[in-house]
Amino acid sequence: MARGSARNFQPTPPPAAALDELAADAAGRIESLAGCYLVRLDRIDPPGAGVDVHYDGTLRVSTADALLAVSGDLYVHRVSGAAGAKEPDPAAGIPIFPRDDYRFYVRGISFVPDAGDPPAVDFEFELHAFDQASGAWADLGLRRVTLRPVADTGGHPLEGIVLSSSGESVGRLRATRVSPALRRAVIEIDRVPKLERPFDNGSGTKWETVFEQVGWDLTVERGNSNIAEPSGEFWTDAELHQTMLKQRRRAELDSEWRYHLLCVRRLHSTQRGLMYDNAATDSNDVPREGIGIGTGWIPDEPFWGPLVGRRFGEATSSYFRTALHEIGHAMGLQHNVADFGVMNTTDVLAKRATQPAFPDNALWAFAADDRHRLRHLPDPWVRPGGIPFGQSFASAPIADEAAAEAPPGIRLEVEPLLEVVPLGAPVRVEFRLSNQSRRRVEGPASLNVRDGAVRGHVIDPAGVARAFLPLLRCVDADETRMLKPQETLSHGVTLLRGGDGALFPIPGVHRIVIEVSWRTDQGMATMSGETSVIVTGPETREHAVAAHRMLSIPNAMLTLVLGGDHLEDGVSTIRRALDCEQLTEHVAWIEAKRLAVPFFDRPARLEKAVALLDETTVMSQAEISRAAAIVEEARPRVAAQAAVAGLADAADAEGSSGEAIACDRLTALLQTKVTNQPVADPVRTEVEAL
Amino acid sequence: MTQKPKPGKRNPAQPAADEDLVGTWVREERDEAPYPDELTFEADGIYRGKMAPGSRTASKLDVGVFDRLDETSIRMSTATDRDETFSLDTSADRLQLTDEEGTKLSYTRSPEAGATVAERSSDEGSAPDEKTGTDPAHEGEWMP
């Protein structure tokens, strides 16, 4: 695991190539720890309220695909409640807990066993609280525990005290490895009489084969073979749903993850198969319990190749693939065109086949990112009866893919431009990625947020995390280049708002986590760095009003990024902040940049823009670089205007002269900036060249 | 007995032109509907829909096939593989789809694929999430 000088959140080491570099016994230790653990988290001190409540759950340690990743889920257990004092039995294998008891997701950050036999494990994780009502998770922050082997802890051979990020003891965690698999589930296959059931692809690949790759212990049950057709050949979604509710063998989703598959002749809603159990069809409000597949469709268009003219149920390979695909939807997966794996659509496989031809181009595996999701998405996302289908993956926490270790010697440093900012002000954060090794290493081509390598989140004083992503993203993302020894990439980001709302909505200390990702030969390398700022409360009524607008008007952020005159509420919000004594220096550049750039028929207003700026104006180095570019673009225009004005009237000459003066003033201001605040060499060079 | 309608199919005798659809379209509205902010129709009958970065909602139209049934209707496979038929109204640079519930979706033709969705990024975030633990139903529980 790479550790930067800043806080490094690269999770779950040591994956891929790093495993090969370890001594064989170390690699063996990690492999031996893989699997599902039954965990119990108890309150330790002080006793009193809540003493009859603890949390049970699972912890999943996966090393498949040469990657190490760790995640877990915690469910409340009231000793005095319905479950009583009865604890899950480790001998019973992977435990299943009631859905309503779900409370926390454990997002593994690092998992480092020592050389002991059996080893103790330093485990660091983020704890995410789940709100059943909204379906949202809140990041409660970091926790650490050293799990040590102990002789007798009531059947849990590993135990440790969980510490908060401030070092406070928050619980005792006990863990028992209960299975080499990560999750378990049952698929019940019912059918209309005589129809084919999709048990395999005809070439030896079965359900168990595909799900072994994702660490699921899957049991396939031959269910009812005598399902009656309610109204003929074609089945509506409602008929599929009602039949599932009536005919499935078991419906105790709080003690078993059971997915229902129904084979019928034809589907009213589609040709091959669908996951019908969501939205209006889900009459019992228990989503993702069942799927339907049809055997009777006969393809007739040439791109279906050898399937043309055959009943779909006879096309064993494609029919089985459709069943896998729909069950993938029931497990919360969406379409995935990354490869020709299970969650790509059959149409895409047929229409985009090259060599091998369709249907032999089907891959009998989920794509790498879907494999990771099936192993490590929170339980409510994947289990039947969990959260409804239709949320984006960005809305749930997940243990990082840890697909590749960041190359040795790479360091990420993150720091705020100002440590103290008033409520409502944008927060500027600078970050540097440096190659401190003596050899060239692959890194991202750019740290420009628009290039897609940088993202992050802000955790407010209440522990609520809000993500920010590139607002503008270039098409050529994921580009990499070789970083020379000692080379440093620098950039900055101005933060105000993300997809979850205002990023700094309340006074207090906010943690800012920056993640930089880039693709390497071994997969995605990710490094994270963290810093913090303190947001001060409103000082005056005027400040409170201006801050409220900055925090509540989404277009303020769009105006910050895009500029232009078209977002009237965004522009007026920035202007209001400009008139506020506490915010003016923080937003002056935002308004100046907007004015300095032409917008349709409006010419650049450089004089007005520069009049807003002085030495107190807060500007990140990215903004200094942008200002230098504006001066550079303006110089030829100003020179041309001056030349024309010299031959025309005096008023124009005066205006041109004013713009020339503005260029000079802005240049002088930028030169002062690069003298007084740390900037990267390329930015200094840009300014000095003006 | 009422005859159940069967999935529609384009009449080969009346082929509908897809040329006016092929390309990338950017949604004009900004709302919570689970429809893509960017929709690309390919010449081979595959479409792809993208939500703006950071969206909490997945697109109901993520990737699948489309079939132009006639000049005013199009069938598209959805994120759960259900086929749905949309009313269609196209002009040179505008596309309007109306789903089976009557939701109208207006798109403008994008000159450049890939860029515009990001520019319209969904910064209209939801209200800050409340931490759990304060609900009376959670009484007695503690925050580890």
Side-chain angles (χ1 to χ4, degrees):
Chain A
M1 178 163 117
R3 287 196 179 274
S5 55
R7 180 79 187 75
N8 186 348
F9 278 73
Q10 169 73 16
T12 56
L19 274 173
D20 298 333
E21 292 169 15
L22 290 172
D25 63 329
R29 276 200 306 279
I30 293 167
E31 288 290 341
S32 71
L33 292 168
C36 179
Y37 291 73
L38 168 66
V39 295
R40 171 174 170 156
L41 180 61
D42 283 282
R43 186 169 181 145
I44 46 174
D45 190 41
V51 74
D52 67 337
V53 173
H54 64 266
Y55 299 98
D56 291 325
T58 54
L59 194 67
R60 296 172 294 275
V61 179
S62 68
T63 55
D65 295 338
L67 311 173
L68 178 60
V70 182
S71 66
D73 296 278
L74 296 176
Y75 295 74
V76 69
H77 183 164
R78 293 175 183 279
V79 176
S80 58
K86 188 180 177 191
E87 286 297 319
D89 177 9
I94 298 172
I96 306 291
F97 299 99
R99 288 162 292 158
D100 285 347
D101 291 345
Y102 188 83
R103 293 294 182 270
F104 301 107
Y105 176 69
V106 173
R107 179 178 183 255
I109 300 296
S110 69
F111 189 84
V112 183
D114 70 9
D117 184 23
V121 178
D122 286 330
F123 179 41
E124 188 177 41
F125 58 95
E126 286 175 358
L127 198 62
H128 293 255
F130 182 62
D131 180 9
Q132 297 265 5
S134 66
W137 275 268
D139 184 355
L140 301 181
L142 278 178
R143 304 287 185 269
R144 294 182 178 83
V145 61
T146 299
L147 289 166
R148 299 181 191 284
V150 285
D152 181 13
T153 52
H156 291 283
L158 293 169
E159 180 181 307
I161 301 300
V162 180
L163 305 175
S164 69
S165 53
S166 60
E168 183 187 357
S169 301
V170 294
R172 174 185 290 110
L173 184 67
R174 290 182 275 183
T176 308
R177 187 169 180 270
V178 293
S179 173
L182 304 175
R183 287 179 150 141
R184 68 178 167 95
V186 174
I187 294 183
E188 175 182 332
I189 304 180
D190 291 358
R191 66 170 176 178
V192 167
K194 298 181 180 174
L195 298 187
E196 295 86 353
R197 279 191 289 211
F199 288 130
D200 59 57
N201 71 348
S203 306
T205 298
K206 302 181 293 184
W207 288 92
E208 294 86 346
T209 319
V210 175
F211 278 88
E212 259 177 32
Q213 301 168 39
V214 292
W216 281 50
D217 176 5
L218 198 70
T219 303
V220 178
E221 283 186 4
R222 292 168 183 261
N224 190 335
S225 290
N226 199 26
I227 301 287
E229 292 180 332
S231 57
E233 180 183 9
F234 280 85
W235 287 63
T236 66
D237 297 356
E239 288 166 346
L240 292 166
H241 191 251
Q242 285 302 307
T243 300
M244 173 194 70
L245 296 180
K246 285 182 187 169
Q247 300 291 345
R248 63 183 163 180
R249 287 177 167 178
R250 282 168 51 93
E252 291 84 25
L253 296 182
D254 288 333
S255 58
E256 179 184 68
W257 292 11
R258 175 173 290 255
Y259 302 90
H260 185 261
L261 192 163
L262 182 56
C263 308
V264 302
R265 282 196 287 168
R266 297 299 303 271
L267 299 159
H268 171 70
S269 294
T270 190
Q271 291 166 326
R272 296 177 297 278
L274 86 165
M275 198 284 285
Y276 56 78
D277 195 7
N278 72 323
T281 306
D282 184 16
S283 62
N284 63 341
D285 282 334
V286 181
R288 298 185 290 98
E289 297 177 274
I291 68 161
I293 56 172
T295 63
W297 171 60
I298 299 176
D300 56 2
E301 295 181 86
F303 62 81
W304 291 110
L307 271 61
V308 172
R310 295 172 64 196
R311 199 172 50 80
F312 192 55
E314 296 169 346
T316 305
S317 165
S318 295
Y319 180 59
F320 175 61
R321 186 185 178 282
T322 294
L324 282 171
H325 177 95
E326 302 308 336
I327 285 291
H329 284 318
M331 292 171 175
L333 296 181
Q334 295 155 13
H335 288 145
N336 188 336
V337 294
D339 59 18
F340 283 166
V342 173
M343 294 315 295
N344 207 333
T345 73
T346 306
D347 303 278
V348 171
L349 264 68
K351 292 189 171 191
R352 304 257 165 106
T354 52
Q355 287 297 326
F358 177 80
D360 297 333
N361 58 350
L363 299 175
W364 297 103
F366 291 93
D369 48 0
D370 283 339
R371 292 199 295 273
H372 182 71
R373 289 176 182 126
L374 288 172
R375 293 174 189 132
H376 293 294
L377 272 168
D379 279 357
W381 192 286
V382 293
R383 68 184 294 175
I387 60 175
F389 186 89
Q391 290 192 33
S392 81
F393 289 127
S395 67
I398 185 169
D400 279 8
E401 286 184 64
E405 189 173 13
I410 291 279
R411 297 286 181 272
L412 177 65
E413 296 169 87
V414 182
E415 61 184 5
L417 187 60
L418 299 174
E419 287 182 49
V420 182
V421 291
L423 189 68
V427 173
R428 274 100 172 161
V429 179
E430 307 279 11
F431 41 93
R432 290 178 294 280
L433 187 79
S434 57
N435 173 14
Q436 298 184 357
S437 74
R438 294 181 179 178
R439 57 194 176 90
R440 288 156 59 89
V441 296
E442 190 170 18
S446 156
L447 290 186
N448 190 325
V449 176
R450 293 185 183 198
D451 291 341
V454 177
R455 59 187 295 171
H457 59 275
V458 177
I459 303 162
D460 75 14
V464 178
R466 298 178 181 85
F468 56 88
L469 295 161
L471 196 59
L472 289 162
R473 194 169 192 274
C474 295
V475 176
D476 293 334
D478 299 334
E479 285 192 354
T480 61
R481 71 179 177 86
M482 299 305 288
L483 301 178
K484 290 179 282 193
Q486 308 306 313
E487 182 174 356
T488 296
L489 298 177
S490 298
H491 216 279
V493 62
T494 301
L495 300 173
L496 180 64
R497 198 174 180 84
D500 301 324
L503 295 171
F504 304 90
I506 52 177
V509 175
H510 290 67
R511 293 162 52 205
I512 303 164
V513 178
I514 298 281
E515 295 180 357
V516 180
S517 302
W518 66 100
R519 195 169 294 282
T520 72
D521 290 343
Q522 282 79 42
M524 289 300 291
T526 300
M527 291 197 76
S528 299
E530 181 176 335
T531 189
S532 63
V533 295
I534 185 163
V535 175
T536 58
E539 295 177 21
T540 63
R541 186 179 181 284
E542 177 60 25
H543 178 196
V545 171
H548 176 246
R549 289 182 62 84
M550 287 290 285
L551 297 174
S552 61
I553 306 273
N555 280 341
M557 183 65 191
L558 280 178
T559 303
L560 187 159
V561 175
L562 303 175
D565 303 347
H566 56 308
L567 302 168
E568 291 179 7
D569 56 345
V571 173
S572 68
T573 299
I574 300 292
R575 284 182 173 161
R576 180 99 190 213
L578 199 58
D579 291 337
C580 168
E581 182 186 351
Q582 288 77 19
L583 295 178
T584 186
E585 66 195 48
H586 299 271
V587 299
W589 164 250
I590 297 166
E591 177 66 355
K593 182 181 74 168
R594 188 183 69 81
L595 292 170
V597 176
F599 188 71
F600 288 95
D601 296 337
R602 172 177 67 72
R605 293 176 180 154
L606 200 55
E607 287 176 75
K608 276 192 172 182
V610 175
L612 298 173
L613 308 175
D614 62 26
E615 290 176 11
T616 66
T617 303
V618 181
M619 296 174 73
S620 68
Q621 56 178 319
E623 290 167 332
I624 292 171
S625 175
R626 179 75 181 99
I630 286 174
V631 173
E632 200 172 293
E633 289 161 14
R635 290 273 191 214
R637 184 179 73 237
V638 169
Q641 285 172 349
V644 171
L647 301 173
D649 58 61
D652 280 352
E654 192 175 324
S656 300
S657 167
E659 203 166 13
I661 292 168
C663 276
D664 291 341
R665 280 196 56 206
L666 185 51
T667 301
L669 177 65
L670 296 178
Q671 286 170 343
T672 304
K673 286 275 178 201
V674 299
T675 304
N676 293 343
Q677 74 183 63
V679 295
D681 289 343
V683 177
R684 187 182 309 284
T685 304
E686 278 179 65
V687 171
E688 288 173 352
L690 291 175
Chain B
M1 189 177 106
T2 307
Q3 177 77 30
K4 244 186 297 193
K6 293 180 179 139
K9 184 163 174 132
R10 178 197 295 185
N11 179 356
Q14 295 178 314
D18 290 341
E19 295 79 36
D20 57 339
L21 271 184
V22 169
T24 295
W25 301 83
V26 177
R27 188 146 181 239
E28 295 173 357
E29 303 91 349
R30 305 176 72 184
D31 57 26
E32 297 301 312
Y35 287 107
D37 292 283
E38 184 180 287
L39 194 51
T40 301
F41 294 96
E42 307 279 358
D44 63 359
I46 304 284
Y47 79 85
R48 287 202 63 181
K50 290 187 208 166
M51 299 300 266
S55 173
R56 298 179 72 89
T57 307
S59 175
K60 184 175 172 180
L61 299 173
D62 58 354
V63 59
V65 287
F66 67 95
D67 192 1
R68 183 81 171 265
L69 301 176
D70 54 40
E71 288 300 319
T72 60
S73 60
I74 182 172
R75 190 177 59 213
M76 301 174 76
S77 60
T78 66
T80 53
D81 300 318
R82 174 182 286 115
D83 291 341
E84 294 195 10
T85 302
F86 294 78
S87 299
L88 179 72
D89 186 4
T90 55
S91 63
D93 58 358
R94 290 200 79 223
L95 164 71
Q96 188 167 71
L97 298 172
T98 305
D99 72 10
E100 292 167 352
E101 279 76 46
T103 305
K104 290 188 187 305
L105 314 164
S106 298
Y107 291 85
T108 305
R109 187 180 286 281
S110 168
E112 181 184 357
T116 319
V117 161
E119 289 172 8
R120 290 165 28 82
S121 174
S122 64
D123 61 330
E124 292 177 318
S126 55
D129 302 329
E130 296 290 334
K131 281 167 61 175
T132 59
T134 54
D135 188 328
H138 293 183
E139 190 177 348
E141 294 178 22
W142 46 281
M143 202 63 76

